[in-house]
Every structure is written in C-alpha cells, then in structure tokens.
C-alpha cells in the first residue's frame, strides 16, 4: 500500500490499517489529527511537555487498541479529541497540576469569552465557527469555555460563575445544541 | 458506587458529559445508560463534534513530535501484536486471542482483502520484521495493481467489503499450511477472493473455487490459470471455501483434492 493510497483513505479505513500494525497508517492519522489533539491538550493543560505526553498517549492508545474507535459513534477526529480532552482533564484534576490550574484560573476567568474566539482554526470554516460562538448567549459561552478549555466540572463552573448547578448544566447543553444548529445551517459539521 | 439517575437527569447532563465536565459517578451512570440508549448516544456524538470544531486550533503537530513518538513504537512493539500476527497466519493460528480481536475490530476482514503474504517461518518469527516484510509485499501488490485499473477497482471493492458489518475473512491455505488466497464474505453472500501467492498453472489447467456447504461442493467460479482477483456469491450455509485444480474450462463435479481450503467463520 503506497503512501498515496494511505492519503486517500478515509479515517475508518485508516484505523483498520492501524489495526494491522501498519505504522505508516498511524503516521497518516497523526499527520491528520495530531495538530488538533495537541492544541487542545495544550489549551487545557497550559503546558507544552504535558500536552505532548497526552498526544503520545492518545496515539499509542489508538495503536494498541484501534477497535476502541467505532465509526458509528462519530468521526475519528472527534474521537481523538474527546480522548485527548478526557486525558488532559484527568491530569488537570490530579494533585500534581492543581497549582498550575489555580494560576490559570486567575487568568482564565478574567478573560472568559476571549479564548474560544481566538482558538478556532484559521480556515474558511473558522468564520462560521466564530460566528456560531459569537451568537451564543454570553452565559452559555462562558459555561462551555470553562468546562471545555478550563477542564472544570459543571459544579465548579457553577461556583466560578455564581450560578445554580442545574442552570450551568442546561447552559452547556443548550449552547452546544445552539452551535450545532447554526453550524449545520452553514453546512458545517460531521454527517 | 452506583449512582442511579433518571433518564431526564441523564439527558440534562449530556452536554457536560461530552465536555468531561461531570463527576466520576455521574460519568459512570451516563456511560451505562449510553450503552442502551441510541438517542442519548447520538446526542453525545453531536456535542463532541461541536466540541471538536471548537478545539481545532493549529494545523499540524509541532516539528519532531511524530519522530519522538515513532521511536517509542519501535522500542515497545505492542504486547498484543502476537494475536494480530496469528490473524495473518490463518484461522487456527489466530487462536482465541486472535478471535477476540477479530470480532472487536473487523481487522481480519481487512486481512483478507489486502492480499498480504506472510510466510509461516519456523521458530521465532519476529513480529516487527514480519510486519515490515509484509509492508513491502503490500507495496508490491499495490504497485502491480495500480497498473490495471479494473483489477484495482475490484480490489478496492474488496477492501470496502472488508469494512462492512458482518464481513467474514477466509484464509485459504494449502495442506502444508502455506497461504494460497484470502477471501472476504459479506453478510449477503457476496464474496471476494484475492491471490496470495498461488502459482501459475500450466496451459490447459485452471483453478476452480468451491463453496463447501453441508458436505457438498458447489462451484463458485473458474478464475483461470492464475488466481488474481475475483468476486463470487456463496450459499447461506457455506462452511468453507475450497480451491481445486481442474482441466480448463472447469468441471461440474470435482474429483480432485482441494489445493487450498479455508473455513468461513460464523
């Protein structure tokens, strides 16, 4: 299988090749998605070295257990990002990085709403994502940002924002739904 | 600790869950619920896709990151590579561990489609070196095929078939256990056979493919002197595929022993 064929392969076929211990298939998946995985981990952890460890862990996990990816349950990118996010949040919630996190909170909450807009990627789609973010009610946007990029649980978000837990839960959910709505109206989003 | 949540409570938490923003006991309760609720599963998938759009900053990983990671792959080949190798070597050699992996990932189906040759080396066959020689083989196969569009299309079709739900891999091996051909059989009975090192036959002889069902052999096709790639259709109750060598242009009932044989897994 030449590298040209690998490049043309869909993500699902790529994962099958990875299942056969094809290192070049893993390299191709890495080429496609490691940038995003790394950026997310770094965004959550505020630490380059820790972010790289997360990237390695996520791709080694894909290498060792490719069958954990189920194409029926979403795209490979969203799978890898969800894994990366989960791992980064685990690290964040461990004692080791508590101090770093507290420092980050001091900065982060002051600028809530700033980061999402500046973290979206720089392609045509970015405009639509920015628009969708900008259209969010500010409460929903803050709740999503603190949870996703800040790695906070909804209870912590509630405390940070001085809002009831139930309210924060529904803000996160309705904000995500609202974004999906406006993104699919713009023709963006996985099938 | 078992947290019990009502369906509605779970639904309220799905957004936070998708962002890893729930407590561990809630996450466990939600995961258990997702296993049985397609609607909630879909919602989580959608939330994660939106999150993935938010997350995407930067285009490529920083310089050198892949190399550092690839170094780790070489240093520590996965412990579970052995069953995967078993898969390549055929039905029996795969063993239980192989079967588990096969069910989990549909990997075996791809094995059939990729037309890979891995020799049954005596003694300690090194997993990594086997994989490398196998990669070389794949490269050669792909190059040969790219010269012939129609054939390549059939191979692609076979590869796609290998990914389908319920696809079953069949490894046809000689009585000496050398690989001869690989096949993939879909749930609807459509099958693809790909040469895996079967020798060219002399003029006037042909390979013939058979379905073995309930002790009967039914002809599936006559590939010719070379096995190459072919598509066929098997009856429901097919237990195995067999290859014989016959006088061209093939026979209705074969009197010959199979030169290759592979079980169709149920």
């Amino acid at each position: 299988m030449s590298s040209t064929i690998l490049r043309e392969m869909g993500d699902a076929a790529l994962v099958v090749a990875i299942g056969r211990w094809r290192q070049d298939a893993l390299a191709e998946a890495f080429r496609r998605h490691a940038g995003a995985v790394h950026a997310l981990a770094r965004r959550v952890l505020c630490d380059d070295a820790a972010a790289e460890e997360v990237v390695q862990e996520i791709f080694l996990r894909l290498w060792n257990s490719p069958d954990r990816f189920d194409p029926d349950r979403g795209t490979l990118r969203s799978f890898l990002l969800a894994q990366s996010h989960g791992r980064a949040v685990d690290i964040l919630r461990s004692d080791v990085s508590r101090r770093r996190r507290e420092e980050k909170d001091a900065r982060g909450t002051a600028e809530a709403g700033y980061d999402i807009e500046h973290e979206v990627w720089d392609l045509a789609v970015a405009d639509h994502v920015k628009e969708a973010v900008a259209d969010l009610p500010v409460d929903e946007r803050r709740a999503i940002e603190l949870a996703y990029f800040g790695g906070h649980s909804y209870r912590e978000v509630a405390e940070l924002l001085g809002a009831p837990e139930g309210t924060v839960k529904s803000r996160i959910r309705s904000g995500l739904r609202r974004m999906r709505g406006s993104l699919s109206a713009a023709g963006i989003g996985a099938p | 600790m078992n947290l019990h949540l009502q369906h509605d409570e779970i639904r309220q938490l799905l957004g936070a869950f998708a962002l890893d923003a729930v407590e561990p006991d809630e996450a466990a309760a939600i995961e258990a619920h997702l296993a049985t609720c397609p609607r909630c599963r879909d919602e989580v998938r959608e939330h994660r896709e939106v999150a993935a759009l938010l997350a995407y900053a930067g285009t490529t990983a920083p310089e050198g990151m892949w190399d550092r990671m690839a170094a780790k792959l070489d240093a520590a080949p996965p412990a579970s590579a052995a069953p995967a190798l078993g898969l390549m070597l055929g039905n029996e050699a795969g063993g239980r561990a192989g079967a588990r992996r096969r069910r989990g990932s549909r990997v075996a189906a791809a094995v059939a489609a990729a037309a890979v040759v891995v020799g049954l080396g005596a003694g300690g066959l090194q997993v990594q070196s086997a994989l490398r020689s196998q990669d070389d083989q794949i490269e050669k196969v792909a190059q040969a095929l790219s010269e012939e569009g129609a054939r390549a299309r059939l191979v692609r079709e076979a590869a796609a078939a290998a990914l389908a739900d319920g696809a079953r891999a069949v490894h046809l091996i000689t009585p000496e256990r050398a690989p001869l051909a690989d096949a993939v059989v879909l749930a609807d009975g459509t099958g693809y056979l790909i040469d895996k090192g079967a020798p060219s036959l002399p003029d006037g002889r042909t390979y013939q493919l058979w379905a073995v069902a309930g002790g009967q052999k039914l002809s599936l096709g006559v590939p010719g002197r070379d096995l190459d790639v072919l598509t066929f259709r098997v009856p429901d109750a097919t237990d195995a595929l067999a290859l014989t060598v016959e006088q061209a242009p093939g026979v209705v009932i074969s009197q010959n022993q199979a030169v290759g044989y592979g079980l169709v897994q149920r």
Side-chain angles (χ1 to χ4, degrees):
Chain A
M1 213 176 298
S2 71
S3 54
T4 323
I5 290 180
L6 277 175
R7 289 217 170 193
E8 286 170 2
M9 266 189 180
D11 277 344
L14 211 52
V15 175
V16 171
I18 290 169
R20 305 199 53 241
W21 312 111
R22 292 285 311 277
Q23 217 183 91
D24 51 353
L26 186 72
E28 175 62 16
F30 194 92
R31 190 187 69 76
R32 288 182 198 177
H33 304 301
V37 169
H38 180 252
L40 178 60
R42 199 181 48 175
R43 179 68 191 81
V44 173
L45 292 168
C46 295
D47 180 331
D48 273 342
E52 175 159 349
E53 275 171 33
V54 170
V55 173
Q56 293 196 353
E57 198 178 320
I58 295 315
F59 280 89
L60 282 172
R61 220 187 267 177
L62 181 67
W63 178 243
N64 287 309
S65 326
D67 46 339
R68 290 186 52 183
F69 167 65
D70 178 354
D72 296 336
R73 293 181 75 163
T75 61
L76 180 61
R77 178 185 284 274
S78 74
F79 170 77
L80 293 173
L81 286 170
Q83 298 252 310
S84 166
H85 190 264
R87 188 64 194 111
V89 165
D90 282 348
I91 294 170
L92 202 59
R93 289 178 189 165
S94 70
D95 287 339
V96 183
S97 58
R98 195 170 291 281
R99 208 170 64 84
R100 188 185 304 132
R101 185 184 187 197
E102 282 161 4
E103 288 163 4
K104 184 184 153 212
D105 284 347
R107 282 177 287 127
T109 47
E111 302 171 355
Y114 172 88
D115 290 295
I116 290 181
E117 283 168 324
H118 290 258
E119 290 288 339
V120 292
W121 83 100
D122 195 20
L123 296 170
V125 179
D127 287 339
H128 291 294
V129 177
K130 275 183 193 167
E131 229 169 84
V133 171
D135 285 349
L136 286 180
V138 69
D139 288 341
E140 291 180 359
R141 191 167 73 177
R142 286 188 175 190
I144 290 172
E145 188 200 58
L146 285 169
Y148 194 51
F149 291 131
H152 292 284
S153 72
Y154 73 90
R155 286 186 183 153
E156 292 166 337
V157 174
E159 211 167 293
L160 285 164
L161 295 179
E165 288 177 3
T167 309
V168 168
K169 268 192 276 190
S170 30
R171 278 180 193 165
I172 292 174
R173 186 170 177 229
S174 60
L176 288 171
R177 284 180 149 181
R178 202 186 304 276
M179 283 199 58
R180 182 173 177 84
S182 43
L183 288 172
S184 24
I188 298 167
Chain B
M1 166 167 36
N2 282 327
L3 179 73
H4 184 74
L5 296 173
Q6 300 297 320
H7 193 205
D8 198 51
E9 293 174 287
I10 285 179
R11 288 179 53 218
Q12 286 302 319
L13 278 170
L14 292 179
F17 173 77
L19 302 187
D20 300 305
V22 296
E23 303 300 325
D25 55 344
E26 291 168 332
I30 294 167
E31 265 155 25
H33 173 73
L34 291 182
T36 60
C37 181
R39 190 189 286 187
C40 287
R41 239 179 3 242
D42 278 351
E43 186 177 328
V44 169
R45 178 177 54 78
E46 290 175 3
H47 290 328
R48 286 198 170 136
E49 276 159 13
V50 171
L53 285 168
L54 284 177
Y56 191 18
T59 47
T60 52
E63 198 74 19
M65 202 180 273
W66 165 256
D67 293 334
R68 290 192 288 278
M69 175 156 156
K72 286 193 181 177
L73 294 180
D74 277 338
S80 44
L85 183 64
L87 272 182
M88 293 168 214
L89 297 179
N91 301 325
E92 294 92 333
R96 294 187 62 86
R100 192 170 60 242
R101 186 171 177 86
R102 187 152 47 227
R103 275 195 303 278
S105 64
R106 302 175 198 155
V107 163
V111 172
V116 175
V117 182
V118 174
L120 274 162
L125 185 60
Q126 291 296 309
V127 171
Q128 288 296 331
S129 67
L131 287 171
R132 280 192 200 107
S133 78
Q134 169 203 335
D135 282 353
D136 293 344
Q137 294 286 352
I138 293 173
E139 194 75 41
K140 279 178 202 148
V141 170
Q143 274 167 11
L145 291 177
S146 68
E147 289 159 15
E148 291 182 47
R151 229 165 111 207
R153 265 199 300 284
L154 197 53
V155 171
R156 272 165 206 261
E157 238 179 272
L163 296 174
D165 271 331
R168 286 162 296 169
V170 186
H171 309 279
L172 287 98
I173 56 174
T174 67
E176 295 77 36
R177 298 180 51 81
L180 200 62
D182 273 341
V184 56
V185 176
L186 294 180
D188 71 357
T190 309
Y192 297 87
L193 183 87
I194 298 180
D195 181 23
K196 205 180 168 188
S200 271
L201 298 174
D203 273 340
R205 310 284 283 171
T206 179
Y207 285 105
Q208 190 158 358
L209 178 67
W210 305 85
V212 181
Q216 304 251 330
K217 269 197 245 173
L218 293 126
S219 178
L220 296 177
V222 185
R225 288 174 54 197
D226 295 289
L227 270 189
D228 212 344
V229 186
L230 86 151
T231 177
F232 56 87
R233 204 162 184 86
V234 296
D236 276 348
T238 301
D239 302 308
L241 298 178
L243 275 165
T244 59
V245 173
E246 308 291 346
Q247 294 290 340
V251 294
V252 178
I253 296 168
S254 176
Q255 307 294 333
N256 294 319
Q257 288 289 321
V259 294
Y261 193 84
L263 292 174
V264 178
Q265 314 244 324
R266 301 273 171 109

